[in-house]
Structures are given as structure tokens and as C-alpha cells.
Amino acid sequence: MSNFFSPISKDSYIFAKKGNPLFGTVQISGAKNMVTKIMTASLIATRGKLIIKNIPLIDEVFITLNLFDQLGVKYKINPDKSLEIEPGEFNSSRVRFATENESNRISLLLIVPIISRFGEAIVPRPGGCKIGKRKIDYHIKGLEAFGVKIMEKPGFLHMKLGKKGLRGSHFRLPFPSVGATENFIMAGVCAKGETIIDNCAVEPEIIELIKFLQNAGVEILIHGDRSIYIKGTNDIRLSEVVVIPDRVETISFAAAALSTKGDVFLRGARQDLMITSLGILEKMGAGIEVKEEGIRFFYKGPLKPVSVATDVYPGFPTDFQQPLGILLSQVKGRSLIHETIFEDRFGYLKVLNPLIVSGKRFVVGKTCPQGTRCRFWGKKRPHLSEIEGPVRFGEGQIYISDLRAGFALLNAACLSDGIKIYNLGLLFRGYENPVGKLKSLGANIELIR
Ligand code: EPU
């Protein structure tokens, strides 16, 4: 892990405690869930050079670059946070993760670039956050429809292409999965003929992937019913792409600031990427001022509790519920969060419960709210939380359970009598310099390496 952006050991921890309200300006970094997708999509091209601007300095990028090293892809990171990739001559069809901690979901997105070049690919099963079962059945079925033969082995996937190569397909996703949509878009580009994918996810980062491919010369269009049409081509022209600001980092800092009754300006944050989430914060009574260069979030009086259900875009994103959960813990009254995307994403509330020294413990239930039924209805998954604020967090130590929980726990620690947070690798996978940024806003926080 020595070349990671955030070198830490297993004993490293972050210590934070209650301080002044957060106040000041921070720069929002490029979106984690866009940059790695553009990186892998660039490998479809067989010549040219891509420059990705505004990359976030996060370990997810390094984990992906470690995979690039194994493939033999040429790349260079510049001091201005741009990444140059020359996909022309990569020379291996096999990759693996160095350790389980260094695994992510990106291995799935390497299948198409590798197999379309070599006719065969061996990639590790994806890792990533443990927030539910995270099955890969859509990926498997969809790729089979494109003509990929898949042999599932313990720990890895071995794939081969038949004599006809990748062929265009008409496939309907059972659920608008982000990763599967991205995978099939790439397969559609590399396949012979036309592809239609129905019931796609349309998160902003996917739209950016589509824009990138369109600019590279691909005939691709989105219909109003979430179906995407792609005409296969091997003429991909790489140039430049700029990574959009990270929506999840934005909401994480907004929630942290509001929970301390603060006032922050998030430079680079974009309203158009987060309409629903801004609407929820507005409904709660938060101060929001949208400016050309970013968004100001400020406390302007007592906030109100809310009930939200996470949903596919443009609904309220699952990645936002963890920052929101901590904010709601400081709001007087009873709030509900119904998690309908991942069936087990309330680990952060469970680890915080023992540290509550005044106020009610968080309740995580396995049913849907009365009168509603989501995909997890009747399956006894811990996907409904009841948060009754305000609560006060005392002293203690906790372990981060997943990436977004990581920042939520930092936020909780910044409201506490003093909490040590361990297992920082997960946090640094997705947030650029979170401690430095919180500190610059006045938080009482230290990283002890
Ligand atoms: N699903 C299946 N089978 C599949 C694929 C997905 O059942 O083959 C299910 C999942 O288990 C889940 C739902 O479909 O219940 C949605 O999963 P999706 O495939 O959309 O998630 P993902 O592509 O694995 C990406 C982001 C997540 C984000 C989700 C939802 C990346 C690298 N990850 O995951 O981001 O929460 O979409 O928006 O893009 C994060 O950044 O911390 C993070 C977890």
C-alpha cells in the first residue's frame, strides 16, 4: 500500500471531539464514482491518449491504477490533478487484487475492455463495501447475452468469448443497477451491431460516461423510459474529460456543517446534481444558497425531522443516507430512513449506539414503513432506521464498517466528548483529505498515523 494517497497503518486512528461550529470554505473534489468508470472505459480504445482532469486524490483511484499496472496500461498522474492514460498497448488479460482491503467493484468493469481485446479475461470477484449481498447476477446474465462465456470460480471469474465475439444485445435490467448499466454500455460499444439496455440507472456519473463515449465518437442515446441505445464501434477517439464534483462529498460536508450549527461554502458543488437532496435539506429548514462557484449550507434555526426513502436517481441517493443519519441525530423529533437500495447499510448507527450518553438509541428495523413495500419487504433485512434526536455521543472507540459510514462516524465524533476511529482505509478509499478539510473548517480533529 506504500504508494497510496493516504499511507496509514492498521493502528492509525482519527481522534475527534466537539468543537466550534464548522465555518469556512472547502473545495469539493472530483467524483469517485465517475473517475474510475472513465478510467476503465478508456481501455476500450486501442490508440490515442485520454486526459482526465480534476481527479480526486483517493485510494479508489490508486486501487484501480494497481489493476492498470498489472494490465500494462501506461498512465501518468500530473501535479495539477490530471491523469493521462494511454490504453493502446496493454498486454495482460488477468488481474487480481493485492489484498482484500485493496479490492473494489472496478474489476467487473475491466471485463469488457480485456475480453474485447484478448478474447479471454480473468478478474477477481468484486470487493467494495459490505452493505448488503451485492450480488453480481445481473452482470453475469447480461454479459452472457452479449456472448461472453463465464466460468465462476472461488474468488475470481474466468471468461471467454465465442467465435462470433461480442454481439449486440437487447437486455432488460431487473433493477436499475449502476455498475451493470455501466458494464453493458461498454459491452454495447465493443459489440458488433446494435444494443438496447432497458431499465437503466441514470445517475449523473453514468450520464458523464455516456457524454464521454459520445464525444469519443460513439452513437449512443438515452430514451425517456430509461432505455439506452448503443451502436457498436471500434473507432474510439480519446481526448479530454473533466470529472464532475463528488455529490456524496458535498452532502457529507453539508450535513457535518449543519449538525454543528455551522456555515460553510462548498466550492465546486453543483445544484443540478443533487436537486432531491437539496430539497430534503430545505424541507428540514436548512439554509442553502446556490452560487455560481458552489453552494453555501448554513444553520438558520432549529431543523425539523424528516422521513425519507432512498431510491435510484433522481430519487434520494443511498450514499447520502449515512451523512443525513448523523445530522438527524441532532434534530429534535423522530425521523425515519427507509433504505431501499442496499439491504444492510445502517452499520454506522449500530456502532454508535453504545456511545450514546443522552437521548434515545437508534432503532434499526427489518420491516418497511407502514403502508409501503420495497424490494426487501418480508425478507427481514435491517433496512429501516428510526432516529430520535437530539442525542449526545460520549467517549469511546469505533471501527469504520464501510466507506460512507466512515465520514458519518467522523461527523459523529466531531459532536462527541471524544471518539477514536479505526479502520481508516475504508474512509480514504473515497474521501480526499477528509481530516485536513474538516480541520480547515475548525473541527477538533486529528489523524494519528
Ligand atoms: N444488484 C444485484 N445484482 C447485480 C447488481 C446489483 O442484485 O448484479 C443489486 C445490489 O445488490 C443493490 C442494487 O442492485 O441492491 C443496486 O446496486 P448497484 O449495482 O446500483 O450498485 P453498485 O454499482 O455496486 C454503485 C456505487 C455505490 C452506490 C450504488 C448505488 C460505485 C463504485 N459504487 O454501486 O457507491 O451506492 O451504485 O447508487 O459506483 C460508495 O460510493 O460508497 C458506494 C457504495
Side-chain angles (χ1 to χ4, degrees):
M1 271 219 183
S2 56
N3 60 349
F4 270 37
F5 285 117
S6 313
I8 41 156
S9 75
K10 69 173 178 25
D11 298 324
S12 303
Y13 65 90
I14 290 171
F15 177 76
K17 65 192 282 193
K18 200 176 168 85
N20 295 323
L22 297 187
F23 184 82
T25 298
V26 287
Q27 178 68 41
I28 295 301
S29 300
K32 159 185 168 277
N33 290 342
M34 170 177 169
V35 66
T36 47
K37 317 304 173 67
I38 300 291
M39 287 166 70
T40 48
S42 74
L43 303 188
I44 292 174
T46 48
R47 61 197 152 82
K49 181 165 92 174
L50 176 68
I51 302 180
I52 310 180
K53 294 187 167 169
N54 192 33
I55 63 160
L57 301 183
I58 55 174
D59 288 344
E60 183 82 344
V61 169
F62 248 118
I63 292 171
T64 309
L65 288 177
N66 286 346
L67 299 174
F68 277 26
D69 285 337
Q70 295 172 45
L71 290 173
V73 177
K74 284 195 196 135
Y75 64 84
K76 187 170 120 202
I77 299 178
N78 298 313
D80 66 351
K81 284 182 143 185
S82 66
L83 171 65
E84 292 176 33
I85 302 175
E86 285 181 59
E89 290 166 24
F90 78 76
N91 52 23
S92 172
S93 58
R94 173 190 282 249
V95 285
R96 61 177 186 82
F97 294 125
T99 65
E100 205 200 318
N101 288 341
E102 293 173 54
S103 68
N104 62 11
R105 312 291 300 163
I106 301 307
S107 60
L108 285 173
L109 300 182
L110 287 174
I111 295 172
V112 168
I114 298 177
I115 207 163
S116 58
R117 209 174 272 226
F118 301 107
E120 183 171 17
I122 298 179
V123 304
R125 282 182 172 276
C129 293
K130 295 182 176 58
I131 48 185
K133 287 192 178 157
R134 304 199 85 173
K135 292 197 283 187
I136 57 168
D137 51 336
Y138 308 163
H139 293 264
I140 302 278
K141 284 202 188 89
L143 289 171
E144 280 172 351
F146 281 96
V148 181
K149 234 182 112 201
I150 303 176
M151 289 144 281
E152 292 197 61
K153 303 274 165 78
F156 67 94
L157 302 169
H158 184 181
M159 282 135 311
K160 281 189 176 163
L161 266 186
K163 279 197 190 99
K164 290 186 183 155
L166 279 178
R167 26 174 219 273
S169 174
H170 189 164
F171 185 82
R172 184 176 174 80
L173 278 162
F175 181 78
S177 151
V178 168
T181 300
E182 293 160 339
N183 216 349
F184 304 154
I185 288 175
M186 291 206 274
V189 176
C190 296
K192 279 199 193 81
E194 297 177 325
T195 288
I196 297 171
I197 319 159
D198 294 325
N199 201 25
C200 288
V202 290
E203 266 65 4
E205 294 77 16
I206 295 177
I207 301 299
E208 292 301 316
L209 173 67
I210 291 173
K211 280 163 63 181
F212 161 71
L213 291 168
Q214 197 165 56
N215 292 340
V218 177
E219 197 179 315
I220 182 165
L221 52 104
I222 314 176
H223 295 289
D225 62 353
R226 288 180 175 272
S227 74
I228 296 178
Y229 165 89
I230 307 141
K231 188 161 175 205
T233 176
N234 49 21
D235 184 17
I236 309 277
R237 298 185 291 273
L238 298 177
S239 56
E240 267 187 25
V241 59
V242 183
V243 181
I244 57 172
D246 197 300
R247 305 178 281 143
V248 197
E249 191 192 24
T250 304
I251 213 74
S252 301
F253 276 91
L258 291 166
S259 70
T260 64
K261 302 190 169 63
D263 185 341
V264 296
F265 182 66
L266 304 182
R267 193 180 300 286
R270 264 175 48 186
Q271 175 190 23
D272 57 324
L273 305 177
M274 38 201 307
I275 304 276
T276 308
S277 314
L278 294 182
I280 300 279
L281 290 178
E282 205 145 48
K283 194 170 166 190
M284 288 172 62
I288 300 173
E289 195 183 340
V290 175
K291 298 188 179 178
E292 209 170 303
E293 325 81 68
I295 308 179
R296 175 182 168 217
F297 294 90
F298 58 102
Y299 184 83
K300 59 175 189 188
L303 296 170
K304 295 188 278 284
V306 282
S307 289
V308 292
T310 62
D311 206 344
V312 293
Y313 194 84
F316 184 77
T318 169
D319 296 333
F320 291 11
Q321 64 93 346
Q322 293 156 308
L324 181 73
I326 301 302
L327 174 59
L328 292 175
S329 77
Q330 304 306 299
V331 174
K332 191 169 186 310
R334 178 174 171 267
S335 294
L336 282 182
I337 304 180
H338 184 199
E339 171 58 69
T340 77
I341 305 296
F342 290 109
E343 63 270 41
D344 191 2
R345 212 174 187 180
F346 288 118
Y348 68 109
L349 295 182
K350 290 186 205 155
V351 298
L352 281 171
N353 260 341
L355 301 186
I356 293 180
V357 287
S358 80
K360 283 204 174 161
R361 285 183 159 222
F362 306 122
V363 180
V364 178
K366 295 184 174 171
T367 55
C368 297
Q370 224 178 2
T372 66
R373 284 186 179 201
C374 77
R375 289 154 68 227
F376 309 129
W377 184 83
K379 293 191 174 153
K380 297 201 164 68
R381 306 281 185 229
H383 72 294
L384 177 68
S385 70
E386 189 182 320
I387 299 171
E388 189 159 348
V391 304
R392 215 187 95 218
F393 303 111
E395 293 179 4
Q397 62 180 49
I398 44 185
Y399 286 79
I400 294 176
S401 55
D402 66 84
L403 198 166
R404 302 303 168 191
F407 195 95
L409 294 177
L410 282 197
N411 187 179
C414 290
L415 301 162
S416 76
D417 297 337
I419 292 179
K420 281 185 181 175
I421 302 172
Y422 288 90
N423 203 17
L424 302 179
L426 284 169
L427 174 73
F428 292 125
R429 250 188 58 208
Y431 289 92
E432 178 176 332
N433 189 19
V435 174
K437 287 186 181 182
L438 281 169
K439 227 176 157 153
S440 75
L441 296 173
N444 217 334
I445 188 167
E446 283 304 331
L447 166 62
I448 316 293
R449 289 189 200 272

